[in-house]
Amino acid sequence: MKSLRTQTRLANLFVIPYGMSFVVFIICPIVFAAVLAFTQLDLTSRQHVHFVGFDNFREALKDPYFVQATQVTCLYSVLIVPAFVILSFGLALGLQGMAFGRNTVRGMLFLPGMFNVVVASIIWRWFYDGEFGFFNYLLKREGLTPIHWLGEKTLALPSIVVMSLWWGLGGATIILLAALEQVPIHLYEAAMIDGATSRKLLTKITIPQMRPVLLFIVVTSTIGAFQVFGQTFMMTNGGPDRSTTGLVQLIYDTAFNKYRLGYAASISWLLFFMISVIIIAQALLLRRSID
Amino acid sequence: MRINFLSVLFVICLVLTGVKLFSGGGSLVSRKTEVSFWNGWTGPDGIAMLEVIRQFNEENPDIEVSMQRMAWDTYYNKLMVSAMSGRGPQVFVIHASTLPRMVRAGYVGDVSDLFGPSTGISPSDFESKVLDQVKFGNQMVGVPLDIHPQGLYCNRDLFVAAGLTNPDGSPKPPTTKDEFIADIRKLQKIGPTGDHDVWGFSWTFWRNNFMALVPQFHGRYFDENGKPDLINPGNVAALTFMGDLMNHLKLTPPAESNAGWTGFRQKKVAMLFEGVYMVGDLQSLTDFHYFGAQVPKIGDQPGTVGDSHCLCIRADLSPKEREASERFIKYLSKHSLAWAKAGQVPARISIRNSEEFKKLQVQYAYSKEVPYMVYPPRTPLLFELIQEIDQAVERVLRGDMPPKKALEIANGNVASAIERDKQENKT
């Protein structure tokens, strides 16, 4: 029998590869980006990298494109996160109640999430096509006026939200379904003996029991919403008239089209700050409301 | 026994790796000089270029050129980052309009020695405006391979059906503003419900369409002092025409539609402005008859916009790599007719004058625009400029703003970007 010290040493050895990759690919870039945010680094500039203090952050707060991208990102999050949580929870409840075909439906729900975001976006771009798209084909067949789903400023973002829901609901539903099945059955039985209604069962047993998982879904979907990029980049490239240009696309344009790495890093940190504040607020609110 | 075998294999791998490392990057077997060639030709043009490269590799057994293609969007990012860290390809393509920014980054090498009677690339074989694009101070930083202007694509069958033909029965493209508008009206087909079954014309890539019209109205982007001048009367007139055609005359699909190129391919759009490079996409279609023509004279003078792919090398190549790279560039320039067939106008006048080139209908028609074609402005802040133009054109075509107001906003934003860049590049 090996000694505890040998076992620990062996365990550490197994952790080293991941630890090294964590330091190299997570910690180092974070530190690098933190330093970068306080410097002026333009790849095409004649000047060397130099420290500029908070100038990049000041510029961002005054930049109309940053303000607009923040508004777009917030609007996208407000539209998608509640819909995402409610729909996936509803689907999970529905699936739990299904006597037959549950696995088939579960598989079908999960299928879209297996597509890469590029593939999913291309498929939906064709669904939404103003002239030749599937949705407008259906509308025309019914004698209705076609809609320019991605071409109109007021419709483009909601259309992307719908696509994102189709793409992402499956994964969250599966997680919630798994959590639902972990709720002890005796709690329901006891409540039903006491005459609890279905609504009471949901609000007093299911939701409180699901609290940690719901919090997880809210937090991850909020982070995902604030980082939206693939869908908007592929489906509208930020248009029409920048109405779908979110913060990550602004960071991408700033860093890789304008080559202003320092300024792009400062926007990244502002995005990180926004996400952190919102996540903490969500966690506190959710915890308090359920307590 | 198994351990011994693995040990021997390990030692062999180690020795081979060592030999490879110390062989200077050349192939282990043939000691060929490897030349990596990057570009953004991901369509049929890339396939044509692969064939040219295959021939080059056959004719030059001491060099092995390998091509890497990626979408232009990501291409410049990867090129910039890899080249600045000394890991970039030996030969790469840069658009003439993007050269100012890339040259300022400092990794594009001087290829002045490629121009001369002994190299086969004579400066007199290019229009001066084409050569000016690769001239930075006393240096030539690239060899222009082609020119790709915006021109007019037309659906031959729709033209003939609308009776827009010459006396010999060949289709007759519009050449003036009046003819252009009259032809759009004749070409469009409106169904009983008022929907367009066929549009006579469609805008495609709005910014490029706008930039094609700007020189026709004597427009410009910067004044003599380098200050942005997007609100000059020529630009306003060009943008007003675009907006009027769409929103007042209702002769193009609405802004929300993306009928453009897809509609043309599906025979639902009869005419549009597009780059010569799109011909490669049409060549793959069967039962589709099209022809190319010059952009009609909408303003006071003929004009269009164009760009060039320039063949460049890294500044820090070894003599051996440089010799191989230059040989490859000379070969591509000499064989640019093969490249032109994929949908380009060769930059070299002698190749444009060849009988074989004249047989390429669209390319030859577009080549007639070269004398009056203009390049985008030479500025390291091209992305900032076109981003603002994109938005101004979009606002007008969507009917959100009058042209002058949209261009004023764009002008202000470009001025701010230039001012910031000036501050950041103070020496």
Side-chain angles (χ1 to χ4, degrees), chain B residues 30 51 81 88 121 132 152 165 178 201 219 222 237 284 308 364 407 415:
Chain B
S30 60
E51 179 56 25
V81 174
I121 304 178
D132 284 349
L152 184 73
T165 53
D178 291 343
F201 177 78
F222 296 99
S284 60
S308 288
Y364 182 57
L407 288 168

Side-chain angles (χ1 to χ4, degrees), chain A residues 38-112:
Chain A
F38 295 93
T39 61
Q40 184 199 304
L41 171 55
D42 179 346
L43 287 183
T44 65
S45 169
R46 283 188 293 268
Q47 279 209 341
H48 293 297
V49 184
H50 62 277
F51 182 72
V52 291
F54 284 92
D55 281 2
N56 286 332
F57 292 94
R58 278 192 212 104
E59 185 185 339
L61 296 176
K62 282 191 272 179
D63 183 350
Y65 289 147
F66 173 78
V67 174
Q68 190 183 20
T70 306
Q71 288 168 344
V72 169
T73 306
C74 290
L75 180 60
Y76 177 80
S77 305
V78 166
L79 288 174
I80 198 166
V81 174
F84 190 78
V85 175
I86 292 167
L87 284 174
S88 55
F89 190 52
L91 280 167
L93 285 172
L95 276 173
Q96 195 195 25
M98 280 178 78
F100 301 103
R102 184 203 291 195
N103 287 341
T104 311
V105 177
R106 196 163 55 175
M108 284 166 67
L109 269 174
F110 197 63
L111 193 67

Side-chain angles (χ1 to χ4, degrees), chain B residues 287-412:
Chain B
D287 191 33
F288 185 77
H289 307 111
Y290 59 91
F291 65 98
Q294 291 151 263
V295 172
K297 196 179 87 172
I298 309 291
D300 304 336
Q301 58 182 9
T304 188
V305 69
D307 212 335
S308 288
H309 292 121
C310 303
L311 300 166
C312 303
I313 61 171
R314 238 174 47 220
D316 57 351
L317 295 184
S318 69
K320 198 178 171 190
E321 285 178 320
R322 191 177 171 101
E323 190 278 322
S325 302
E326 290 192 347
R327 208 192 311 169
F328 175 57
I329 289 176
K330 282 187 265 184
Y331 187 90
L332 287 188
S333 179
K334 189 178 168 189
H335 293 81
S336 54
L337 180 63
W339 170 238
K341 286 177 183 169
Q344 295 290 342
V345 173
R348 292 175 68 159
I349 297 168
S350 59
I351 296 175
R352 292 211 301 270
N353 289 336
S354 68
E355 288 306 315
E356 207 176 338
F357 176 70
K358 289 176 183 171
K359 288 179 195 159
L360 306 173
Q361 194 276 326
V362 174
Q363 290 91 324
Y364 182 57
Y366 277 45
S367 73
K368 291 175 187 166
E369 296 181 315
V370 173
Y372 53 78
M373 179 204 91
V374 294
Y375 282 93
R378 288 188 102 195
T379 167
L381 300 184
L382 187 74
F383 181 82
E384 284 81 347
L385 174 74
I386 60 175
Q387 176 181 268
E388 295 303 329
I389 293 176
D390 272 336
Q391 216 168 338
V393 177
E394 188 171 353
R395 284 170 171 163
V396 172
L397 293 191
R398 289 184 186 283
D400 293 342
M401 248 179 227
K404 194 163 183 193
K405 173 81 179 156
L407 288 168
E408 263 171 17
I409 294 172
N411 205 60

Side-chain angles (χ1 to χ4, degrees), chain A residues 40 43-47 65 129 131-132 148 151-153 240-242 256-258 260, chain B residues 77 80 84 101 104 256-258 266 268 383-384 387-388 391 394 398 400 420 424-426:
Chain A
Q40 184 199 304
L43 287 183
T44 65
S45 169
R46 283 188 293 268
Q47 279 209 341
Y65 289 147
D129 190 281
E131 296 292 317
F132 320 110
H148 297 293
E152 284 182 23
K153 278 195 280 185
D241 200 10
R242 298 182 76 89
F256 301 115
N257 284 320
K258 297 179 179 173
R260 299 184 65 207
Chain B
N77 308 333
M80 173 78 91
M84 290 191 74
R101 193 156 212 164
R104 194 168 84 169
E256 297 79 21
S257 160
N258 55 354
Q266 299 190 342
K268 291 181 176 178
F383 181 82
E384 284 81 347
Q387 176 181 268
E388 295 303 329
Q391 216 168 338
E394 188 171 353
R398 289 184 186 283
D400 293 342
R420 175 193 50 74
E424 289 182 359
N425 282 285
K426 265 184 191 168

